[in-house]
Amino acid sequence: MPQSMQPGDAKAAEIKAVSIGKTFGAFHALKNLSLDIGRGEFLTLLGPSGSGKTTFLMILAGFTAPTTGRLMMDGRDITDVPAEDRSYGMVFQGYALFPHLTVEQNIAFPLKVRGRSSADIKRKVGDMITRVGLGGHEKKLPAKLSGGQQQRVALARALVFEPSVLLLDEPFSALDKNLREMMQQEVKRLHEETGTTFVFVTHDQSEALALSSRVAIFNQGELLQVGKPQDVYERPTNRFVAEFLGEINLLPLEKVEVNGERAAGKFEDRTIIVNQSIALAGKTAVAAVRPEHMFISAAPQASDCNAITCRVEGATYFGASTKYHLRTRSGMSLAVSMPTALASPIAHQSDVWVSWPVHQGFLLPDAG
Ligand code: ATP
C-alpha cells in the first residue's frame, strides 16, 4: 500500500442530521429527516427517482440550505458553513473532469488550490494514480480515456486531499454492467483503505446492498428505514422497503395471534408461523417471504418450516437461478426462485408444496 494514506489515517467525520426539511415553493422535498452517519461508515442513500436523495446529499455538501433543521459534524453545527469550507470530496454522475488538464493535472488540482508543496503534490498524485490503477495514463487528456478510466480520475481527484467525507451521487450510472461492478469493488476497496466516511446515492438496490455498511431508504422525501444491508433486506419494517429491495411474496394472514417472539395466522387452510412480532391494530397482517427463501418439494418439509400447496404455472430460466411461477389454492400468484443447479425438473400444472423456514418470513402490517 502506498505510504501516504494508511487505513484509519483520514480524519473521517461523524455527521448528524437533525429534523432536516427542504421545501421548493409548496413542495416538500424532504420531510423532517433525522439521520446519524457514523465515522468511517459507508452509508448509501437509496430510493426511487424524486425521493429526495440528491437534495439530502446537496444539503450535506453545503450546496443547498435546508429549510428547517440542523446539520452537525463532529459535534459542531455546520448548517451555515459554505460548501468550500466543508471541504468534502465529491464524485458525481458526469465525470466533471477538466478537459484541458491531463490525468495527473486533474488529480493534482485540489492539492494545488490548497497550496500544497510540489513535492507533496507529486507524491500524493503518484499514490492516487497507483491506487486507482491509472499508471501509464498520467499524461492523457480525459477525452482519450474510457468512461471507467474517467470515473477513476474523478475518484482519485476527490480522495487525493484526504477529505473527511466523500459524497458520491450515482457515480456509475453511465457505465455498462461489468465496468460498473468493477468500479463498485474499487470504491469498496478505496473506502476500506482510506477509512473516510462515504455517503453514496443510488437508486440501484443491489448496488446499495453490495457496497454499504448501512443503507438509508428514502421515499417521497421521507426516510423510511436505516440499517445494515442484511437487516433492511431480511427485516424491512414496511411494505415499501420490502418491495423496493427485491421481489417479495406477500401472504395475507387472518386470525393473527402474537405469542412472545412468534406470530401465527391463517393463510388459506394453513397456519403460517412467523418468527417475529410487530404491533398490530387488529387480527390481520401480511407474512412476507423472499422468493429465494422458498423451495418446492413433493411433500411439506417438517422441521420449523411453513408449507402451502400451489400449482406450477411456469418457469423462467435466469442462468444461475430459475424462477417458478405458482398459484396458491385461492388464486394468488407466488414466485419461488431456486439455484438452477439444485432445481429438478418440475412439470407445469403439477401440484407441489412450497415451503420456507419459519425464520425466513417476516410480518408486515396490513396497510403500508
Ligand atoms: P433522482 O434519483 O431522480 O436523482 P432523487 O431521489 O435524488 O431523484 P431529488 O433530486 O432530491 O430526488 O429531488 C426530490 C424532489 O425535489 C423531486 O421531486 C424534484 O423535482 C424536487 N426538486 C429538487 N430540486 C429542486 C429545485 N431546485 N426546485 C424545485 N424542485 C426541486
Side-chain angles (χ1 to χ4, degrees):
M1 182 184 295
Q3 285 305 302
S4 69
M5 215 191 279
Q6 293 294 328
D9 265 7
K11 296 172 282 306
E14 187 177 48
I15 298 171
K16 208 176 177 62
V18 187
S19 306
I20 297 283
K22 179 68 191 173
T23 52
F24 295 108
F27 178 73
H28 290 260
L30 289 176
K31 301 167 191 163
N32 196 29
L33 193 149
S34 293
L35 175 63
D36 289 355
I37 306 173
R39 207 177 294 286
E41 146 158 77
F42 193 134
L43 181 88
T44 296
L45 314 179
L46 174 70
S49 185
S51 56
K53 310 177 296 287
T54 297
T55 302
F56 184 63
L57 200 76
M58 291 299 111
I59 289 173
L60 289 182
F63 292 134
T64 302
T67 313
T68 54
R70 307 308 293 171
L71 197 64
M72 314 291 290
M73 186 174 90
D74 296 335
R76 193 165 66 96
D77 190 327
I78 57 160
T79 320
D80 303 318
V81 173
E84 59 273 22
D85 295 337
R86 295 190 192 181
S87 207
Y88 294 165
M90 283 174 223
V91 184
F92 294 127
Q93 265 171 45
Y95 314 118
L97 299 176
F98 302 115
H100 58 290
L101 298 184
T102 63
V103 166
E104 60 185 4
Q105 288 167 338
N106 261 286
I107 300 173
F109 187 80
L111 299 174
K112 280 203 165 151
V113 295
R114 285 170 175 78
R116 302 286 175 83
S117 71
S118 39
D120 193 29
I121 293 177
K122 192 162 185 292
R123 188 169 50 83
K124 289 213 160 96
V125 170
D127 259 13
M128 278 318 303
I129 284 178
T130 311
R131 203 180 277 279
V132 299
L134 283 173
H137 299 284
E138 292 86 344
K139 309 288 178 205
K140 287 187 183 166
L141 290 173
K144 300 278 179 214
L145 299 175
S146 70
Q149 288 168 335
Q150 291 188 47
Q151 201 51 289
R152 284 198 176 92
V153 179
L155 273 168
R157 192 181 57 180
L159 281 168
V160 73
F161 62 99
E162 298 173 35
S164 59
V165 178
L166 181 67
L167 305 177
L168 306 106
D169 193 354
E170 306 254 10
F172 310 135
S173 55
L175 306 179
D176 69 40
K177 185 171 174 289
N178 286 345
L179 196 51
R180 197 181 166 109
E181 282 175 7
M182 224 160 91
M183 291 305 296
Q184 287 170 357
Q185 288 317 309
E186 202 128 312
V187 161
K188 203 168 174 171
R189 183 177 54 78
L190 285 168
H191 172 253
E192 282 159 12
E193 284 181 13
T194 58
T196 302
T197 305
F198 278 35
V199 185
F200 187 97
V201 165
T202 185
H203 60 265
D204 179 331
Q205 303 83 326
S206 53
E207 185 165 83
L209 296 174
L211 292 179
S212 328
S213 37
R214 282 192 314 152
V215 182
I217 296 128
F218 283 59
N219 191 36
Q220 296 184 341
E222 286 183 72
L223 178 59
L224 297 185
Q225 191 174 353
V226 195
K228 292 181 186 153
Q230 198 171 347
D231 293 342
V232 293
Y233 186 76
E234 296 189 9
R235 285 288 178 269
T237 51
N238 67 69
R239 198 181 287 203
F240 178 86
V241 174
E243 293 184 307
F244 190 71
L245 287 176
E247 194 171 358
I248 188 121
N249 295 303
L250 299 171
L251 309 176
L253 299 184
E254 292 180 331
K255 299 182 185 158
V256 179
E257 299 288 345
V258 175
N259 185 1
E261 281 302 296
R262 287 198 158 189
K266 283 271 177 212
F267 174 72
E268 299 177 349
D269 60 343
R270 306 283 300 177
T271 298
I272 303 297
I273 301 169
V274 182
N275 210 2
Q276 172 211 21
S277 64
I278 54 171
L280 294 176
K283 289 278 179 195
T284 55
V286 171
V289 197
R290 301 254 177 231
E292 71 274 20
H293 291 148
M294 294 176 138
F295 49 93
I296 295 174
S297 53
Q301 305 294 304
S303 81
D304 223 20
C305 274
N306 292 297
I308 56 175
T309 50
C310 289
R311 178 156 292 180
V312 181
E313 293 201 327
T316 310
Y317 174 74
F318 287 105
S321 66
T322 298
K323 186 159 102 184
Y324 294 92
H325 311 282
L326 302 115
R327 200 155 293 276
T328 71
R329 288 172 59 160
S330 62
M332 270 189 58
S333 67
L334 206 73
V336 174
S337 178
M338 306 219 289
T340 302
L342 301 180
S344 45
I346 299 169
H348 288 189
Q349 300 307 325
S350 58
D351 290 323
V352 294
W353 285 92
V354 169
S355 307
W356 67 96
V358 163
H359 72 270
Q360 296 285 25
F362 50 91
L363 212 55
L364 293 171
D366 251 345

